[in-house]
């Protein structure tokens, strides 16, 4: 099964390139796990906006699954990409060059992996080698459609340790939110599973695992 995860991740995931930011402070001490975050400025500051969008606050606190629980997104799959940038120009350049397949691939890797693992619980790995390989084959050239950009946001933040004087890191945090209707994405994934299931060499156990995947997908989605 580990073999599948490595192959599937290599095929499906297009890694996001992150711009990292280092502190310009002279020889600061290392920040500890007790760091705090202070927002110095954000996208809405110039317009007098004093609060962050709910989806940004929720994502920071609870991740993308938390965003999907918001009333605006209960029928959607949400995809949030984020990066850190040294300056606002770099942040804007990242947003301008952003491609949605990257974020969908990264998020769906984790979800699809969990779906397949749940369907094959208790199964010997050798028996499911062909099963996983077929998933990889049918997923190689998949281009999921229907994703829509909902919003983006940036915040200029200071990360610091209140117990260490003059030790902090300032950086821009950038977020971009895309959604896709659950029913639309589930249908596309279901179709890919159907294609994999057409393999005449699959055993009854492997076919049963496919059917289990489709049942889980129909009942609860990803």
């Amino acid at each position: 099964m580990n073999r599948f995860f490595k192959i599937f991740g290599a095929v499906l995931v297009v890694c996001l390139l992150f711009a990292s930011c280092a502190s310009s402070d002279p020889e600061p001490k290392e920040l500890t796990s007790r760091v705090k975050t202070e927002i110095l400025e954000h996208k809405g500051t110039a317009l007098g906006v004093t609060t962050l969008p709910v989806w940004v606050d929720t994502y920071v606190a609870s991740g993308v699954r938390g965003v999907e629980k918001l009333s605006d997104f209960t029928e959607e799959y949400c995809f949030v990409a984020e990066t850190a940038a040294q300056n606002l120009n770099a942040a804007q350049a990242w947003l301008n060059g952003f491609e949605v397949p990257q974020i969908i691939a990264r998020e769906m890797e984790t979800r699809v992996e969990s779906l397949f693992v749940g369907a094959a619980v208790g199964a010997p790995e050798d028996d499911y080698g062909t099963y996983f390989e077929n998933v990889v084959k049918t997923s190689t050239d998949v281009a999921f459609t229907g994703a829509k950009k909902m919003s983006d946001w940036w915040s200029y933040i200071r990360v610091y340790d209140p117990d260490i004087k003059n030790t902090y890191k300032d950086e821009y945090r950038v977020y971009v939110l895309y959604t896709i209707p659950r029913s639309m994405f589930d249908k596309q994934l279901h179709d890919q599973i159907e294609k994999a299931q057409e393999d005449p060499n699959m055993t009854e156990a492997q076919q049963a695992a496919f059917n289990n995947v489709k049942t889980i997908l129909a009942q609860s989605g990803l």
Side-chain angles (χ1 to χ4, degrees):
M1 192 174 295
N2 290 334
R3 178 188 176 195
F4 159 69
F5 295 154
K6 293 178 181 179
I7 299 175
F8 191 84
V11 172
L12 185 60
V13 178
V14 180
C15 293
L16 294 174
L17 297 177
F18 290 94
S20 61
C21 172
S23 173
S24 59
D25 300 306
E27 300 298 331
K29 297 180 181 179
E30 291 293 328
L31 292 171
T32 71
S33 59
R34 298 179 61 187
V35 296
K36 294 186 177 182
T37 299
E38 176 186 354
I39 298 177
L40 305 176
E41 186 183 4
H42 57 74
K43 184 177 179 180
T45 299
L47 300 176
V49 177
T50 59
T51 59
L52 299 180
V54 175
W55 71 267
V56 174
D57 263 340
T58 303
Y59 174 72
V60 172
S62 306
V64 71
R65 294 287 193 178
V67 177
E68 289 178 348
K69 293 178 181 179
L70 297 175
S71 58
D72 289 342
F73 305 115
T74 54
E75 299 300 321
E76 311 284 329
Y77 286 122
C78 295
F79 310 94
V80 178
E82 64 174 297
T83 192
Q86 294 178 324
N87 54 64
L88 193 54
N89 287 337
Q92 192 60 54
W94 180 80
L95 282 173
N96 292 340
F98 182 80
E99 296 182 4
V100 67
Q102 297 174 333
I103 185 176
I104 293 180
R106 185 184 67 176
E107 178 66 22
M108 285 301 105
E109 176 205 18
T110 301
R111 298 194 185 201
V112 173
E113 178 181 304
S114 296
L115 183 65
F116 293 152
V117 169
V121 168
E125 182 172 342
D126 291 343
D127 190 37
Y128 282 81
T130 303
Y131 160 58
F132 288 137
E133 288 173 6
N134 274 276
V135 174
V136 172
K137 290 177 183 177
T138 57
S139 301
T140 301
D141 298 320
V142 174
F144 293 105
T145 60
K148 178 181 179 181
K149 181 179 177 180
M150 302 302 294
S151 184
D152 62 67
W153 197 262
W154 61 263
S155 296
Y156 186 48
I157 70 168
R158 172 163 295 178
V159 181
Y160 66 97
D161 187 327
D163 296 328
I164 304 178
K165 186 178 180 180
N166 296 326
T167 300
Y168 58 88
K169 179 172 67 174
D170 293 346
E171 64 183 12
Y172 285 86
R173 294 274 179 88
V174 193
Y175 308 92
V176 57
L177 169 65
Y178 277 80
T179 65
I180 183 172
R182 286 177 176 266
S183 58
M184 181 182 295
F185 192 94
D186 288 350
K187 175 62 166 58
Q188 293 177 73
L189 182 57
H190 181 275
D191 290 346
Q192 294 304 316
I193 296 172
E194 288 277 301
K195 290 180 182 179
Q197 202 168 10
E198 293 173 359
D199 184 352
N201 296 317
M202 296 186 72
T203 65
E204 291 185 4
Q206 291 165 350
Q207 289 285 356
F210 267 102
N211 290 332
N212 196 11
V213 167
K214 290 189 291 186
T215 297
I216 296 173
L217 185 63
Q219 292 178 345
S220 56
L222 291 176

